[in-house]
Amino acid sequence: MIPKKAGDRVKTDRRDAMQLARLMRSGDLTPVYVPAVDDEAIRDLSRAREDTLRDLKAAKLRLKAFLLRQDIRYTGRANWSPSHLRWLSEVVCPTPAQQIVFQEYVQTVTEQTERLGRLELELHEQVQTWRLYPVVEALQALRGVQCTVAVTTVAELGDLTRFENPRQLMHYLGLTPSEYPSGGRRQQGSITKTGNTHARRALVEGAWAYRCPAKVSRHLQLRLEKLPTAIQAISWKAQVRLCKRYRQLMAKGKNANQVVVAIARELSAFMWDIAKHIAVTPKA
């Protein structure tokens, strides 16, 4: 993101050094966050899990598409439930060649499911010895932010306290709307989608939990019991505000996807606040 003139095509070490010195003096250089070795290792493990999840979804779609081509339809309620897996074990295709294809697709789904389980188990074990684990544990006080979402967010963003305010974090995640002001007119468009896509996707997935009324579930209560009172207060404040915000935006006729993105943007601000409290509050 170093500013560069369009017609400047002469590149030498001396010219580069002088240009960097001028940009540094004027404050036009954008700082870059360099993760530590352990931080990058957790990030790689988190991304491997995400890749496996994507491969598993693709394998399931191939299997279902193959069965539809053969007009073999499942009449049960939920796909990939125990009853659906039992039904798959009884499927017989019209020809031996198609039966081989079917078995290969089923085996691919099984392998990807087992691989996903291994990576999730390894991720939960490795993160417990990570230097940022207190932040990961504290972020789970928020509704919709379980271990996977918290680990993905922290692994991709690093230390959240490096942002001076929540708005900087929102801009980094690409969750702020784009603007096209002209004169006295201010027009907003879709979100910028700049920054880290992995963290943005995780936040949007967690934001769907706020479409239901504010409530402390049993699983959330178990996570809150381990955390300081200040973190618990932020969790409840986030629930009340974000659930109310979701209802208000839906009542205005907004699209559900747009509303969830708006909720994810505000959710990142509560994450930043929790990270600030963890930086000054020792682990309970």
Side-chain angles (χ1 to χ4, degrees), residues 6 14 36 47 94 167 181-182 203 209 255 270-271 273-274 276 279:
R14 181 179 179 84
R47 290 186 180 181
R167 189 166 295 278
S182 178
L203 282 175
N255 183 273
F270 286 104
M271 287 185 168
D273 193 14
I274 289 178
K276 281 289 186 180

Side-chain angles (χ1 to χ4, degrees), residues 4 18 30 51 57 65-66 74 80 154 173 181 184 190 195 257-258 264-265 272:
K4 183 179 179 181
M18 294 178 62
T30 303
D51 293 339
K57 290 181 178 179
F66 173 79
Y74 176 61
W80 312 112
V154 179
L173 290 168
S190 59
N257 293 328
Q258 293 179 335
R265 179 168 59 246
W272 179 87

Side-chain angles (χ1 to χ4, degrees), residues 4 24 28 33 41 56 81-82 87 91 114 124 130 136 145 160-161 187-188 197 203 206 218 240 250 269 284:
K4 183 179 179 181
M24 177 66 72
D28 292 332
Y33 174 74
L56 176 60
S81 61
W87 175 80
V91 170
E114 294 175 351
H124 292 170
W130 190 25
V136 173
V145 183
L160 299 181
T161 59
Q187 180 182 358
Q188 289 186 321
T197 58
L203 282 175
R218 177 176 174 272
V240 173
M250 290 297 295

Side-chain angles (χ1 to χ4, degrees), residues 80-95:
W80 312 112
S81 61
S83 59
H84 182 228
L85 296 178
R86 288 192 297 269
W87 175 80
L88 285 176
S89 64
E90 299 171 357
V91 170
V92 178
C93 295
T95 65

Side-chain angles (χ1 to χ4, degrees), residues 130-196:
W130 190 25
R131 68 179 183 89
L132 294 177
Y133 179 68
V135 180
V136 173
E137 193 175 28
L139 291 182
Q140 296 180 55
L142 295 169
R143 182 177 180 177
V145 183
Q146 298 185 4
C147 183
T148 303
V149 176
V151 171
T152 302
T153 303
V154 179
E156 297 294 340
L157 302 180
D159 187 7
L160 299 181
T161 59
R162 64 189 177 93
F163 299 97
E164 296 181 1
N165 51 65
R167 189 166 295 278
Q168 286 188 0
L169 176 58
M170 296 174 187
H171 285 300
Y172 180 81
L173 290 168
L175 290 171
T176 53
S178 55
E179 292 188 11
Y180 303 93
S182 178
R185 182 182 178 186
R186 181 171 178 263
Q187 180 182 358
Q188 289 186 321
S190 59
I191 59 174
T192 59
K193 292 186 179 180
T194 58
N196 195 287

Side-chain angles (χ1 to χ4, degrees), residues 172-283:
Y172 180 81
L173 290 168
L175 290 171
T176 53
S178 55
E179 292 188 11
Y180 303 93
S182 178
R185 182 182 178 186
R186 181 171 178 263
Q187 180 182 358
Q188 289 186 321
S190 59
I191 59 174
T192 59
K193 292 186 179 180
T194 58
N196 195 287
T197 58
H198 304 275
R200 183 169 63 250
R201 186 185 301 111
L203 282 175
V204 172
E205 289 178 359
W208 279 103
Y210 294 93
R211 68 186 185 275
C212 302
K215 176 185 177 182
V216 179
S217 63
R218 177 176 174 272
H219 298 286
L220 181 58
Q221 180 62 36
L222 292 176
R223 301 200 300 264
L224 288 172
E225 291 176 353
K226 308 174 185 178
L227 300 173
T229 307
I231 305 299
Q232 298 181 23
I234 296 175
S235 173
W236 180 244
K237 180 181 177 181
Q239 275 213 61
V240 173
R241 174 176 173 81
L242 297 183
C243 292
K244 180 181 179 180
R245 181 68 171 163
Y246 182 90
R247 294 193 303 269
Q248 290 176 341
L249 292 177
M250 290 297 295
K252 291 181 179 180
K254 298 290 185 180
N255 183 273
N257 293 328
Q258 293 179 335
V259 175
V260 170
V261 170
I263 298 301
R265 179 168 59 246
E266 296 194 21
L267 180 61
S268 65
F270 286 104
M271 287 185 168
W272 179 87
D273 193 14
I274 289 178
K276 281 289 186 180
H277 278 76
I278 292 300
V280 298
T281 304
K283 182 179 177 181

